[in-house]
């Protein structure tokens, strides 16, 4: 794909962790731990085994704040080894470690399903890339972070090469606009142990106009596996439904001024086309000059799971 984009740019210069994955919906975005919903920031829960008290901390002492009864369950958001061990259960309330309560740590995969942390990093003002933290598979986390750092470095090098080309063209008597390659990322989906990252590029290396494109990276975080459309659209019947839906959407957009070459569109490429997850579906991406003129730009087709599942 990247080589294809480079070829197109060169032409312009010289011419001017489960498979199949189940559909994710907003309703399914809740992460359940037994019969209780796990919430962001929760690390575990305490179950009251016999009547006891919850405490406040006042003047560096535990002070009984309220009585709690056997069978009650409280979410835990923090733990401290002080006072013999205390569990933060919210609103400055603490359960003291004792035989009166049972603590359970939330499973790592459940906590991760609430969404991992993705932090913006930059090599330059025009090159940003993601770095992840909070994955319980630390080997995969390190591999993920190296991958996107290397992508950013490659883009930075390509930008340097374009600046050299611009300098050479000026020396040969051309007066081109500045050459460049930019890159920025977006987190498109980050829940249910599925992570979708999109990387948007735009570049100019001479000719009538620049080029822009989007690369996407989709992961099953539980299986530490990169996903393709084959993991979502799993049989020919589903593919036929998606293709029919996209043709219909192209026709609708043509009536609004787009210029899709609908007859040229035969099928979504399940191993090559870019996509990312969304709430209730996926978004499939066609680049510039795919199934239409440059004026169509990059095209995003949101396909609800209800279309093909």
């Amino acid at each position: 794909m990247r080589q294809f984009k480079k070829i197109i740019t060169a032409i312009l210069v010289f011419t001017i962790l489960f498979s199949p994955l189940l559909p994710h919906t907003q309703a399914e975005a809740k992460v359940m731990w037994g019969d209780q919903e796990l919430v962001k920031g929760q690390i575990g829960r305490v179950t009251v085994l016999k009547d006891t008290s919850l405490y406040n901390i006042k003047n560096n002492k535990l002070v009984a704040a309220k009585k709690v009864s056997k069978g009650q369950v409280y979410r835990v958001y923090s733990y401290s080894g002080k006072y013999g061990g205390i569990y933060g259960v919210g609103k400055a309330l603490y359960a003291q470690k004792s035989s009166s309560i049972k603590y359970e740590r939330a499973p790592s995969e459940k906590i991760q399903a609430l969404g991992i942390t993705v932090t913006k990093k930059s090599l330059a003002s025009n090159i940003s890339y993601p770095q992840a933290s909070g994955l319980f598979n630390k080997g995969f986390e390190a591999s993920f972070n190296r991958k996107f750092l290397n992508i950013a470095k490659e883009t930075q090098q390509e930008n340097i090469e374009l600046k050299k080309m611009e300098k050479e063209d000026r020396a040969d008597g051309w007066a081109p606009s500045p050459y460049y390659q930019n890159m920025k990322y977006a987190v498109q989906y980050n829940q249910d142990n599925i992570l979708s990252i999109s990387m948007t590029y735009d570049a100019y290396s001479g000719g009538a106009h620049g080029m822009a494109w989007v690369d996407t990276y989709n992961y099953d975080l539980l299986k530490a596996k990169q996903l393709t459309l084959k993991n979502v659209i799993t049989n020919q019947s589903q593919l036929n439904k998606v293709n029919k839906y996209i043709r219909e959407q192209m026709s609708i957009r043509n009536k609004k001024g787009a210029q899709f070459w609908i007859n040229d569109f035969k099928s979504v490429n399940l191993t090559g086309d870019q996509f990312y997850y969304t709430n209730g579906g996926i978004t499939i991406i066609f680049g510039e000059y795919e199934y239409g003129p440059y004026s169509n730009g990059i095209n995003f087709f949101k396909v609800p799971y209800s279309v093909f599942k």
Side-chain angles (χ1 to χ4, degrees), residues 16 40 60 99 108 130 163 178 208 231 233 244 307:
I16 17 187
K40 197 75 172 176
N60 292 319
S99 61
S108 296
K163 293 299 183 185
N231 299 107
I233 303 169
K244 180 176 182 292
V307 167

Side-chain angles (χ1 to χ4, degrees), residues 113-181:
L114 294 169
I116 66 167
T117 299
V118 181
T119 303
K120 178 181 179 180
K121 299 290 184 179
S122 299
L123 286 184
S125 60
N126 65 323
I127 301 174
S128 67
Y129 63 98
Q131 295 285 267
S133 59
L135 282 78
F136 70 85
N137 184 329
K138 293 303 178 184
F140 175 63
E141 180 179 295
S143 174
F144 176 98
N145 288 337
R146 283 196 302 271
K147 179 184 183 76
F148 284 98
L149 173 58
N150 287 336
I151 289 172
K153 287 180 177 178
E154 289 172 8
T155 303
Q156 185 179 49
Q157 184 59 40
E158 289 172 3
N159 196 54
I160 290 171
E161 294 300 323
L162 284 173
K163 293 299 183 185
K164 289 180 181 178
M165 185 189 300
E166 177 191 340
K167 186 176 181 180
E168 291 170 0
D169 287 346
R170 290 185 186 280
D172 289 339
W174 292 18
S177 298
Y179 296 172
Y180 61 84
Q181 181 161 314

Side-chain angles (χ1 to χ4, degrees), residues 33 89 102 162 171 178 183 197 205 213 221 229 250 253:
W33 180 18
V89 296
K102 178 179 74 173
L162 284 173
M183 182 182 81
I197 300 288
S205 56
W213 65 94
L221 298 181
L229 278 168
M250 286 180 172
R253 295 187 190 185

